[in-house]
Amino acid sequence: MFLINCPYCGERDQQEFKAGGEAHIERPKQPTELSDDEWAEYLFMRKNIKGVQFERWNHAHGCRKWFNMVRDTSNDEIKAIYKMGEKPPAQ
Amino acid sequence: MNKNLRVKSSEYIDETNRISFKFNGKTYHGFKGDTLASALLANDVHLVGRSFKYHRPRGIMTSGSEEPNAIVQVNPGTNRTEPNVRATEVEIYEGLEASSQNCWPSVEFDIGGINNFLSPFFPAGFYYKTFMWPASFWEKYEFFIRHSAGLGKSPTTTDPDIYDHRNVHCDVLVVGAGISGIMAAKNAAKNNFKTLLVEEKNELGGSTIYENNEFNKIDNKAPSEWLKKEIEELKNIKNLEIKTRTSVAAYHQYNYLLARENLTDHLEAKDKTNKIRQRLLKIRAKKVILATGALERPLIFNNNDRPGIMLSSAIKKYSEFYGVACGSKNVFFTNNDSAYESAISLFNKGINVEAIIDIREQSESKIIKKVKEAGIKIYWSHSIVDTTGYKRLNSISIMKLSNDGTSVTGSKISISCDCLGVAGGWTPAVHLYTQSGNKLKFDDEKKVFLPNQNTSEQISVGSCGGDFKIDEIIKNLNQKLKDTLNIKETDLDNIKVEIDQENSKRNIWLLPSDKPLGKTKPFVDYQNDATAKDIKLALREGFRSIEHVKRYTTTGMGTDQGKLGNMHALGIIADTAGVKMGELGTTTFRPPYTPLTFGTIVGRNVGKFFDIFRRTPMNDWHVENKAEFENVGQWKRAWYYPINGETMHQAVQRESKAARESAGILDASTLGKIDIQGSDASEFLNRVYTNAWSKLAIGKCRYGLMLNEDGMVYDDGVTTRLGENHYLMTTTTGGAANVLGKLEDYLQTEWPELDVYLTSVTDHYATASLCGPNSKKIIKKIVPDLDLSDESFPHMSFKEAKIGNIQCRIMRISFTGEHSYEINVQASYGKDLWEKCIEAGKEFNITPYGTETMHLLRAEKGFIIVGQDTDGTMTPIDLQMDWIVSKKKYDFIGKRSLYRSDTMREDRKQLVGLLTDDPNIVLEEGAQIVSELNQSPVEMLGHVTSSYFSPNLKKSIALAVVRGGKDMMGKKLFVPMENKNINVTVANPVFYDEKNERLNA
C-alpha cells in the first residue's frame, strides 16, 4: 500500500486513488487528419516499463483531481508527484 | 496415568488459580499463565497430533508461534471452534476444550497411521505422479483424497464474535518485545517519538526474561533481573503504547503493517460475549524497528520427529518460565552451546539430565565446565542415528561421527530417555524484513540469512539482525538506534555486559545414519511430512530452483510456512547440488506470518455490511407492496410486483399491458444524474456525445450516445438544458460513477481550458416515471396549473413545477414509447411524490412496474440497453443508430475510431430484430445464431441480446447482434438449442409503433 502525496490534499493511503496509466500521452488535436496507424499509436500503444515510469493517478475517493507521478515500477518508489499541466521533472 | 511434571514454582504461573480444561475429551488441570502446551506437558502429555501425510504420532516441539506439530482444533463442535491453532499459543482458561487434528478415530489409534508403513509408496510428487492417469479418473481420486486430507474442521455455524479494524499511525513501530525491542522502544519514546511496541505473547521480555544463567551479567545483574527493571520503567514513559498478544501478520511497502491484536481468546466463554475478539491494526509507521528475534533450529537425523523430541530452547522455556519439566530422563543433542544452557537450567531446577550429544569435537566455555561438574555425560563428536518409541520417545542410538561429518563409525550406544532437546543453532526471524521487499544476504560463518541493509525507515535489531550474544546485541542496537533515530545518547551507552558464550558451532544440515538414506526418515518439514530424501529425490528428478523443490516436495508449505525446517531444506539442496547457499536464495516468505482468522480480515464488513446496497427513497413502498428486487450495480431496484401469487412472467405481462393501455409508474431514481454548469457546457457536451448540442434550446431534452475513444458505445441517456450554461445529464444506473470519472478525466487532463463543472446529483433527486395514454390525466390531477398541451409541453421538453409546496422538475421523455413524464423531486420527497402519483392514478388503474417490464417495453420499441445489447464492441453504426452520429462536428470522443478500417467493415456484428417463426417460442438470451444447420463446424453469426414475449404484440420478440445483419432483413436463420432448432427471421428491431404515434397520444 503506497502512501501517496496528493498535490491537493497531502499524504493519503493508496486505496483512495486510482491509477490511470501512462502519463504525457496527449490526445491529438486533429484526429481526423491522422492515419489509422498514427491514431492506433495514440489509442492503443502504452509502455510497460520495469523501472522509472511516468503515470497518471486520480484521487478518486478524495478531491477527484488527476495528477502525475514518477514511480519506479521495480520497487514502487515514488520519485516525484506533480500537477497536471506541469512539466515532468528531469530524470 | 496423570503424572505431574510441575517443578519449582514460576512467577509467571499463578498456582493459586487452578484451571481445568479438556483435551481430546479428557479433563486436565493447569494454572493461570499456562499455555495449552505447557499445561499438557505438565500432565506428561506429549502426543498431541498426527502428521499430515504419514499420520505419524507427533508431539509439542516448540514453545512459540513457529510450532509445526502441536496444531489443534479449539472448542470443537461449537460456534467458536477454530482449526489449526498452535497449542503453544493458546492460553488456557476454565472450560477450554481442544482436540487433535488429522486423526481418526483418535490420536492414540489412528487408521491413517497405515500410511507410515506404506511410506515407500508416497515419495515426493506422489499425487502428481499417481493421479495423472487416466485423466478421466481424477474425479474419483479426488473424492478420496479430499476425505483423507485436510487438517482441522472449519466452523459450520455463524461466528458469534465481533471483529474490528483500526488505523494506527506512529513515528516508530517496534515489533517484538525481547531485550532489543524493549530497549529500542524505550529510547525511541524517551526521545519524543510516538512509539508503538507490539509483542505476540502476553508477557514482555522475550527469552531474556527467564535468562538466569550465572555466566551472563548486565550491570552485574542476571539478565532477567535487569530486564524486569527496564520493563517496569516503561510504564512511566509517555509517547509509548504497548500492545501484547499482538502479532504482526504482514509488512507491506511504505511501512504499512497489519497486526492482529488478540483481545478475548484467553478469556472464559462468559467473558467473551459482546467484546471485540480480534482487532486488525493497520499501522502506518514512519520508522519500523524489527526485533523479532530468532528461532532455534532442529537437527535433521533419522526419526527426529517422535513425541518427546523438542527444541532445546523450548525445554528451557517450559522449565524456567512455566515451571514444567518436559521429561524425567532428558537428553540434549546439539551443535552449539545453547543446549548446555538448557541443561544447566534443568539441572538447577533438579530435573534429571542424562547426557548431551554434541557433534562438535569440543568446546571450552565455562558453561561446559559447569555441565561437566554437574556430572552430565557429554558425548563429543557423536550423532544420533536412530530413535525409538512410537507414541513417545524411549531411547536414542548414537554413533561416532567421521571427521568430515558425512558418515558414522564405531559401535552403537543406546541411551534410554523420554525427552530429547535438539539445538541446531539459530535462524533470525527475517520474515517481516523480506515481506517489506528487501533482500537477504547469506552469512557463511554464522550460516544464516541476514537483512542485507538497514535504512532510515527500517532497521533489524537483536538476533533477527544477526546478533546472538547479549554484548553484541546491546552494542549494535545502540549504534543502530543512534543512526536511525538521529539521537546522540541512549540508555545503552553505559551498560556493562559480561558474558561467557562461545560462537563455536559445527553445521551439518543432514546428519548421517548407519543406514542408507532411503531407509531412514529424517524429517525436514514436520507439518507436511517432507523428509531429506524427498528433497534429494526432487533434485535427482531435475528440480533445481528452490521454489520448484518447495512446491514439489511441499517443504515449507504448511500453516507454519516451514519456520523450523526451511533452512535445512536449503542447506541440503546446496550440499547436494554443490552450490553456495547465498546463490541459491530462499523461498519467498509471504504474509501472514501466522494464520489470521477470516473474522479479523473482514472486521465489521459482515452480514448486511459485507456489500452495501443503495436503496431509493421509494424503497419502503416497494417492500410494502411485495416487490421482488434485482441488483443493478449496488442498487436494489424493484424488479416486478407480483400479486395473488403471480409468476414473474405473469406479473410482467400484466404490468406491460397496463402501461400501454392505461398508465404505469416506474421508480427511475437510480439513473445516474450529473449536473453540468459553466460557460463551456454546450461545447463540452458537443465533445463527449456523438450528436450536436449547441442548438438545443433551454427547456428541451435530447438523447445522447457517448463513445469510448475506441469508437465503442459507452453510455447513453437524456440530457436536459436547464439554463444557458446549465445542463442535467442522466446516465445508465450502473455506469454513473464511471461516466463521471471519465468526464472529469477529459476536463482536467485534455480540455483544462473549458469552463465546466461537474457534480454528481444521483442521490439528490428521486424520479418517478409515469407512462401510458392516461399519464397526462394523472399529471393534470397532481399539477393542475401546468399547461400540458403539446404546444406548451411537447415531447422532449422540460418544465419546473410545484406539487403542493414541493419544487419539481418534470421532463416529458419516454423510454417506453408511450406518452410519459419523468418527475424529479428532492430525494426526501420521493416517497411522498410516488404515493401522490399512485393515489391520483387509482381511477386509471395505475400499475407500478419494475425493471423487467421496463426492459420489455423498450425492447418492443427497439431501444437499446447499454451493457445488455452492447458489450464494448458495438459502434453506433453497428447498432443501426447512424442518425445520432453527427457528420458536421469536427471531433468528439471516439469519432476518429469510427473511420478505422476495422470499425468500417461491413460484416461486423450489427443489431437486428429477430422474430421466431412460431410466435409462442421465446428465445433464450445469449443463444447463438447460425445460418446453416447441416454443417459442422458452423460459423456463429451472433447471439440473442434481449428476448421477451410481448403481450401487446402477442408474440415473441428479440434483439440480436448478427454478423452483417443490416443487410439480412427478412432472412431466415436458426437458433440451435440443446433439444431443438428454432427458426427465426431477421426483422426491424422496432417492433411496436414504428411511427412513434403513441408519444403524442
Side-chain angles (χ1 to χ4, degrees), chain B residues 385 456 467 472 681:
Chain B
V385 294
S456 59
D467 299 324
E472 284 172 5

Side-chain angles (χ1 to χ4, degrees), chain B residues 301-303 306 309 331 333 357 379 382-389 393-400 408-409 411-417 420 511-515:
Chain B
F301 54 93
N302 184 21
N303 286 322
R306 300 197 186 281
I309 301 181
V331 173
F333 183 28
I357 324 296
Y379 293 89
H382 273 71
S383 179
I384 297 179
V385 294
D386 201 2
T387 66
T388 62
L393 178 73
N394 59 33
S395 83
I396 57 170
S397 309
I398 64 171
M399 287 174 79
K400 189 139 178 79
V408 283
T409 56
S411 55
K412 218 186 269 187
I413 307 167
S414 177
I415 302 171
S416 132
C417 60
L420 174 69
L511 290 157
S513 169
D514 55 329
K515 291 184 203 152

Side-chain angles (χ1 to χ4, degrees), chain B residues 563-582:
Chain B
K563 290 188 181 76
L564 292 188
N566 269 359
M567 283 302 295
H568 304 84
L570 292 171
I572 292 166
I573 294 168
D575 285 352
T576 311
V579 294
K580 282 192 171 159
M581 292 205 39

Side-chain angles (χ1 to χ4, degrees), chain B residues 284-485:
Chain B
R284 282 275 185 198
K286 294 211 172 73
K287 292 172 192 294
V288 174
I289 299 178
L290 295 173
T292 45
L295 305 175
E296 190 166 42
R297 289 179 192 167
L299 289 163
I300 311 301
F301 54 93
N302 184 21
N303 286 322
N304 59 345
D305 66 325
R306 300 197 186 281
I309 301 181
M310 306 173 69
L311 294 181
S312 146
S313 58
I315 293 175
K316 179 176 169 185
K317 179 161 188 184
Y318 285 117
S319 130
E320 295 279 356
F321 191 88
Y322 298 104
V324 171
C326 295
S328 40
K329 282 197 283 185
N330 296 285
V331 173
F332 287 93
F333 183 28
T334 187
N335 68 2
N336 68 91
D337 275 3
S338 304
Y340 295 84
E341 292 180 19
S342 302
I344 287 299
S345 164
L346 296 193
F347 175 78
N348 288 341
K349 297 241 167 194
I351 305 166
N352 172 38
V353 179
E354 297 274 321
I356 297 179
I357 324 296
D358 196 326
I359 67 172
R360 296 176 298 179
E361 277 159 26
Q362 59 169 17
S363 174
E364 292 301 331
S365 42
K366 284 183 201 159
I367 193 151
I368 285 167
K369 290 193 186 99
K370 168 95 182 180
V371 164
K372 285 178 183 162
E373 283 164 24
I376 299 169
K377 175 134 179 73
I378 303 172
Y379 293 89
W380 296 105
S381 272
H382 273 71
S383 179
I384 297 179
V385 294
D386 201 2
T387 66
T388 62
Y390 186 57
K391 290 181 202 164
R392 176 72 184 268
L393 178 73
N394 59 33
S395 83
I396 57 170
S397 309
I398 64 171
M399 287 174 79
K400 189 139 178 79
L401 259 179
S402 67
N403 285 341
D404 64 358
T406 57
S407 60
V408 283
T409 56
S411 55
K412 218 186 269 187
I413 307 167
S414 177
I415 302 171
S416 132
C417 60
D418 61 358
C419 183
L420 174 69
V422 291
W426 295 85
T427 300
V430 293
H431 307 71
L432 293 178
Y433 170 84
T434 56
Q435 279 183 23
S436 74
N438 289 312
K439 298 280 176 238
L440 297 168
K441 61 167 189 255
F442 190 70
D443 184 322
D444 274 312
E445 189 199 335
K446 292 178 179 166
K447 300 279 180 217
V448 290
F449 280 100
L450 291 176
N452 194 21
Q453 57 173 357
N454 292 299
T455 65
S456 59
E457 282 91 35
Q458 181 200 129
I459 53 171
S460 297
V461 301
S463 54
C464 75
D467 299 324
F468 299 108
K469 297 197 299 184
I470 290 179
D471 57 339
E472 284 172 5
I473 288 172
I474 289 186
K475 189 175 121 231
N476 291 332
L477 170 65
N478 196 13
Q479 195 54 50
K480 283 176 184 170
L481 284 177
K482 284 178 179 172
D483 293 347
T484 305
L485 303 178

Side-chain angles (χ1 to χ4, degrees), chain B residues 882-935:
Chain B
D882 310 46
W883 55 270
I884 203 173
V885 180
S886 165
K887 301 276 188 301
K888 289 182 195 148
K889 282 200 292 184
Y890 180 70
D891 192 14
F892 55 83
I893 298 171
K895 174 170 172 138
R896 175 61 186 83
S897 290
L898 298 178
Y899 304 97
R900 290 177 60 233
S901 55
D902 183 58
T903 43
M904 298 217 325
R905 278 189 296 115
E906 287 296 315
D907 64 342
R908 290 177 61 83
K909 284 184 184 165
Q910 290 141 358
L911 187 82
V912 294
L914 280 189
L915 289 172
T916 49
D917 291 1
D918 176 349
N920 290 316
I921 296 179
V922 180
L923 295 171
E924 272 184 40
E925 286 173 2
Q928 315 225 322
I929 300 162
V930 300
S931 60
E932 290 290 335
L933 277 179
N934 304 316
Q935 198 179 317

Side-chain angles (χ1 to χ4, degrees), chain B residues 772-810:
Chain B
N774 285 320
S775 60
K776 193 172 179 179
K777 292 175 194 154
I778 297 169
I779 295 280
K780 190 77 200 165
K781 280 176 76 179
I782 305 171
V783 207
D785 301 340
L786 198 64
D787 182 354
L788 295 173
S789 66
D790 284 346
E791 296 70 41
S792 165
F793 198 179
H795 180 57
M796 294 308 264
S797 66
F798 144 81
K799 273 188 190 293
E800 298 256 12
K802 270 194 163 180
I803 302 176
N805 287 323
I806 309 171
Q807 192 70 34
C808 62
R809 290 170 173 169
I810 303 176

Side-chain angles (χ1 to χ4, degrees), chain A residues 25 36-46:
Chain A
I25 297 177
D36 271 9
D37 284 351
E38 286 165 331
W39 179 246
E41 183 68 29
Y42 158 72
L43 195 56
F44 301 121
M45 295 307 178
R46 296 292 181 274

Side-chain angles (χ1 to χ4, degrees), chain B residues 82-250:
Chain B
E82 189 180 344
N84 301 337
V85 182
R86 292 149 303 282
T88 49
E89 289 197 301
V90 179
E91 295 174 46
I92 61 165
Y93 50 84
E94 192 63 40
L96 168 73
E97 286 192 40
S99 64
S100 301
Q101 299 182 162
N102 202 34
C103 53
W104 184 83
S106 77
V107 69
E108 293 286 334
F109 178 76
D110 175 18
I111 292 275
I114 191 105
N115 284 4
N116 187 31
F117 303 101
L118 299 175
S119 63
F121 305 107
F122 289 108
F126 169 72
Y127 288 94
Y128 301 123
K129 288 167 182 165
T130 310
F131 300 113
M132 291 304 287
W133 45 263
S136 58
F137 264 49
W138 169 247
E139 280 179 21
K140 292 182 179 67
Y141 291 135
E142 192 188 18
F143 177 80
F144 288 99
I145 293 169
R146 295 270 177 247
H147 272 252
S148 58
L151 291 165
K153 288 191 176 68
S154 25
T156 52
T157 49
T158 307
D159 188 334
D161 283 316
I162 306 166
Y163 299 83
D164 197 25
H165 285 185
R166 180 182 286 175
N167 288 303
V168 180
H169 296 263
C170 59
D171 295 326
V172 176
L173 170 71
V174 181
V175 186
I179 182 170
S180 312
I182 283 167
M183 295 315 290
K186 188 178 173 194
N187 282 291
K190 272 182 147 180
N191 282 283
N192 291 322
F193 291 94
K194 188 183 167 208
T195 305
L196 174 64
L197 172 64
V198 298
E199 165 57 44
E200 64 175 356
K201 300 209 163 53
N202 58 335
E203 293 282 350
L204 303 181
S207 61
T208 312
I209 205 69
Y210 52 88
E211 182 58 70
N212 301 314
N213 183 336
E214 62 197 273
F215 304 108
N216 295 338
K217 291 266 190 289
I218 306 178
D219 283 348
N220 289 320
K221 290 186 195 128
S224 60
E225 202 184 323
W226 179 84
L227 189 58
K228 272 174 213 161
K229 208 177 117 261
E230 294 291 325
I231 292 172
E232 194 55 38
E233 284 174 20
L234 290 182
K235 288 181 191 152
N236 304 321
I237 298 179
K238 278 183 246 162
N239 284 330
L240 176 62
E241 188 181 2
I242 302 173
K243 287 200 177 289
T244 54
R245 299 188 177 103
T246 302
S247 167
V248 173

